[in-house]
Amino acid sequence: MKFPSLPSLSRIKFPFSLNVKSHARTLRLVVLLLLLGLSGYIFYLNITIREAFEGRRFALPARVYGRALEVYPGLKLTSVQLAGELRALGYHERPDPDEAATYKYTLNGLEFTTRNFVFGDGPQASQHLRVEFADGKVSLLQERGGTDVDLPISRLETPLIGGIYPGHNEDRELLKLSQVPKQLIDALVSIEDRKFYTHWGIDPRGIARALYKTVSGQRIEGGSTITQQLVKNFFLTSERTLTRKGTEVLMALLLEMHYGKDEILETYLNEVFLGQDGSRAIHGFGLASYFYFDRPLDRLELQEIATLVGMVKGPGLYDPRKNPELALKRRNVVLQEMVSLNVITQAQFVMARQKPLGVVLRPPTGTSPYPAFLQLVHRQLQSDYREEDLRSEGLRIFTTLDPRIQHEAETALSQRLAAVEKARRMAANTLEGAVVVSSTQQGEILALVGGREARYAGYNRAVDAQRPIGSLAKPIVYLTALEDPGRYTLITPLDDSPLVWRQPGTTDWKPQNYDHKFHDQVQLRTALAHSYNVAAARLGIDLGVERILGKLPLYGIERQPPPFASSLLGAFELSPIEVSQLYQTFADGGFRTPLRAIREIVTADGKPLQRFPLNVEPVAPPAPVYLLTAALQGVVREGTAQQLVNWLPAELNVAGKTGTTDDLRDSWFAGYTGDRVAVVWVGRDDNKPSGLTGASGAMTVWGEMMKNIQPEPLQPVMPEDIEMVNVDPVSGLRYNEDCKAGVLLPFIRGSEPTDISACVFASADTPKASDNPGANAAVKPGGKQAPEQKNWLQRIFN
């Protein structure tokens, strides 16, 4: 069989003419352009790599620390409380506490060894301490050694309470290569990149294997050296495309051209992703060691190191808390690879393989347990620092937060609101609240609770909730009056009869008392103790509304209330932290101390950057403030807050004020002791009535909290121009000093009553102010007795 002959190629006519020389020139031009483009791209990649690796390589979050517990003989502290402080700092109980961050109980106290720590004012070396206790106080503080040495004071490390993280929420503890155990490096190289120290950044066989799988239709994977992994984590996205893989290869080659193996490895050890803590990403072996084992990397055992290295392949898949079985298998694979490369012995392998994972059940969290306080710190920092510096320069911020007081504030708010809801048959979580606690003289914010769920980093009610303050405003009115001792003293009679106030721009104002009664003439101290609205309103109008409200900036309140008479009774809004600033001034004897949450800031390497010193300014005369404090103590002793005795002993001499707004929407209590100022607000976020007065809501939270933080008694220093006078509590007449029927009240010298009454012992038949309000008018403004009242009193007492 013959096949037909094929025509000659010369006879074939193509539809186009072939110009070989022209196409060759075009091809050369295309190749040249591709080479130029590739060169430019490589040049761009080279610049990117150099810029990232020169100078700062990582965005380090700012670390925020709480207060350091200072221990000294006489400190009100128990062994249980101190042990709690140590555990919160990550200390472990050991029979022999010679290692840093360990402790043990002794017969009369504790022995423990502190860590080396760099405070805001410099480094403090580790100490082996013995602390003993008696009667709820520290009785002995010694440093153990060859000879025990008594110490006047020592301080624990400050607790880490949170961080200000980069936008992608990466967190890490930077390590130098010299701080990394050799076993970890051996394990990493064994399982991830055996040729790390010999290749140029890429593994040709691995790349070929990955390319084959891609061409054959399998997913793109594999072929990554440690250098390539670093490039991917440091510069690129996690997408799986040939273009990204090609870029990864080029950058790995460039990285190896410019930097040594040790630099690349050190950067990788600090960069690798090893887990997730809520919104916080755990990067680097330094932080992962604490996150999974609550110990520094140099104290991990072989099997623990292998667990961390095994997680590099898939932190989510091999998470030892979520998937312990998979994590255990992966750990053992790492150990087996180490044996095969002879970096550990068979005996080490067998011993390590038999041990459990050993991860701590609850990781030390970097997501702050105090989000409301951390938010306040962040806002205060933003006035002085750029946001990018706060999130990347590794600043160390030392704050005023006292974790123990914070815990008591959170617990009191949560438990009391739950109890109130149950007692009043409210739906669960109907009520909300906020708490601010500060130190009396330093103005340091010791605790700040922004809501019932203290760990919820949402709406910060302590700082952002603007609510009418009600009767918390009245002390401003009374202080203004007491600054004029020629007219007003604690026993000056005030008019509590019906009032109609007409003011342009507003409707007629007819204030009412909470009990819907009027009390005619009442002493100033009584009007404040029982929070009579009408008496306070008349007094404020007499003094001048604008005059009183104009004093608010002196006390640290920048917000200007509306210039209406109703503002005298708190018909204007403040946040709990603003109320705290107001009462801070009262508690500190008329000295305004701006509230502060930050003490000092240092750089990542411990160099001082900024201090926040105490700033005190006198804004009110000491004597009138002393009188106001005495009147506020009367609120607790015999007025609207007298039920506080259910929580606190009378010997504390607490000064405070309840606050209740219209329709029982807001419940407030603000008060102070010898060393603490605290403000509590309780209400509803939807602004519906809570059904609570200041005494039935906020005051119960305040009392529960203060009971547990054990404040010091309030004993204000008496100004030189104050004189204590024994007076008849009903008439205000002066008694002899030895008359036990009287009450001792302070007066600014020259304003005290001069007329003396015969001493009459109190009995059931003795008239009280509530029985005959007219008796309160026995002393006119200025302390002078009315003759007609003197005659009436003589008839009664004779």
Side-chain angles (χ1 to χ4, degrees), residues 80-257:
V80 173
Q81 290 172 336
L82 179 57
E85 293 268 356
L86 295 175
R87 286 192 296 271
L89 289 170
Y91 281 55
H92 299 275
E93 189 174 0
R94 297 285 186 270
D96 188 9
D98 290 331
E99 188 178 349
T102 59
Y103 73 96
K104 74 171 183 180
Y105 283 97
T106 63
L107 182 61
N108 297 315
L110 293 168
E111 280 187 24
F112 57 94
T113 301
T114 64
R115 301 184 183 100
N116 296 323
F117 194 81
V118 180
F119 290 90
D121 56 3
Q124 176 178 290
S126 173
Q127 293 178 298
H128 188 176
L129 301 175
R130 172 192 287 161
V131 182
E132 294 184 356
F133 303 86
D135 300 323
K137 294 182 179 180
V138 175
S139 59
L140 176 73
L141 175 64
Q142 288 183 334
E143 183 171 15
R144 302 294 309 278
T147 57
D148 295 345
V149 179
D150 289 344
L151 297 177
I153 192 171
S154 183
R155 58 182 171 179
L156 306 183
E157 310 93 278
T158 57
L160 180 66
I161 63 171
I164 302 174
Y165 298 104
H168 41 302
N169 276 352
E170 289 186 9
D171 193 10
R172 56 175 55 81
E173 288 280 348
L174 282 185
L175 293 174
K176 295 181 180 179
L177 192 61
S178 59
Q179 298 174 292
V180 179
K182 184 177 183 301
Q183 282 185 332
L184 189 145
I185 296 173
D186 291 339
L188 186 65
V189 171
S190 299
I191 197 71
E192 290 294 324
D193 190 356
R194 292 189 174 191
K195 297 180 181 179
F196 173 72
Y197 287 104
T198 59
H199 63 57
W200 292 356
I202 61 173
D203 177 8
R205 289 185 179 181
I207 293 176
R209 185 170 58 251
L211 185 62
Y212 170 76
K213 287 187 177 183
T214 302
V215 172
S216 62
Q218 302 177 50
R219 67 189 184 95
I220 301 172
E221 63 173 20
S224 290
T225 64
I226 285 177
T227 309
Q228 286 176 266
Q229 291 180 43
L230 176 61
V231 165
K232 180 177 66 177
N233 294 336
F234 217 58
F235 302 101
L236 304 176
T237 65
S238 58
E239 64 175 336
R240 295 177 178 273
T241 63
L242 285 176
T243 302
R244 193 204 61 77
K245 196 69 177 178
T247 301
E248 177 187 301
V249 169
L250 290 175
M251 296 185 82
L253 291 169
L254 290 169
L255 196 63
E256 294 266 358
M257 286 175 55

Side-chain angles (χ1 to χ4, degrees), residues 333-349:
V333 169
V334 174
L335 292 170
Q336 184 64 60
E337 290 297 309
M338 295 178 74
V339 172
S340 66
L341 290 182
N342 297 317
V343 294
I344 61 172
T345 65
Q346 184 69 26
Q348 287 177 301
F349 166 72

Side-chain angles (χ1 to χ4, degrees), residues 383-518:
S383 62
D384 296 322
Y385 296 91
R386 297 185 307 167
E387 187 68 19
E388 60 186 272
D389 292 335
L390 293 176
R391 297 183 180 275
S392 64
E393 295 294 339
L395 300 179
R396 292 160 56 87
I397 301 159
F398 294 91
T399 74
T400 60
L401 181 82
D402 186 317
R404 185 169 67 91
I405 295 178
Q406 177 75 24
H407 171 73
E408 297 298 348
E410 292 174 1
T411 303
L413 182 66
S414 176
Q415 292 182 352
R416 286 304 309 165
L417 294 191
V420 169
E421 289 171 343
K422 182 177 180 180
R424 292 173 176 263
R425 298 181 180 180
M426 297 180 181
N429 299 314
T430 298
L431 299 174
E432 262 299 349
V435 183
V436 181
V437 185
S438 61
S439 58
T440 300
Q441 295 182 334
Q442 290 77 29
E444 294 185 336
I445 298 175
L446 306 175
L448 187 136
V449 184
R452 189 168 176 173
E453 295 296 327
R455 297 176 186 272
Y456 172 63
Y459 184 42
N460 190 345
R461 296 167 187 82
V463 177
D464 296 325
Q466 306 294 325
R467 307 291 294 218
I469 66 171
S471 294
L472 295 191
K474 290 175 183 175
I476 309 170
V477 177
Y478 288 104
L479 178 57
T480 305
L482 293 170
E483 288 176 350
D484 186 358
R487 296 181 63 197
Y488 297 100
T489 71
L490 293 180
I491 60 173
T492 299
L494 301 179
D495 186 359
D496 192 55
S497 60
L499 169 66
V500 177
W501 179 251
R502 295 177 175 85
Q503 187 173 358
T506 184
T507 58
D508 290 353
W509 184 51
K510 301 177 182 179
Q512 299 290 319
N513 290 320
Y514 177 74
D515 60 4
H516 301 291
K517 297 178 181 180
F518 298 98

Side-chain angles (χ1 to χ4, degrees), residues 120 381 384-385 389-390 393-397 600-604 606-612:
L381 289 169
D384 296 322
Y385 296 91
D389 292 335
L390 293 176
E393 295 294 339
L395 300 179
R396 292 160 56 87
I397 301 159
E600 52 212 350
I601 302 173
V602 300
T603 61
K607 295 179 181 178
L609 191 62
Q610 184 177 2
R611 283 184 170 276
F612 293 77

Side-chain angles (χ1 to χ4, degrees), residues 71 223 283 324 368 398 468 519-520 585 627 658 708 725:
V71 181
H283 283 258
S368 178
F398 294 91
H519 309 90
D520 297 329
T585 305
L627 299 182
T658 55
N708 294 321
V725 178

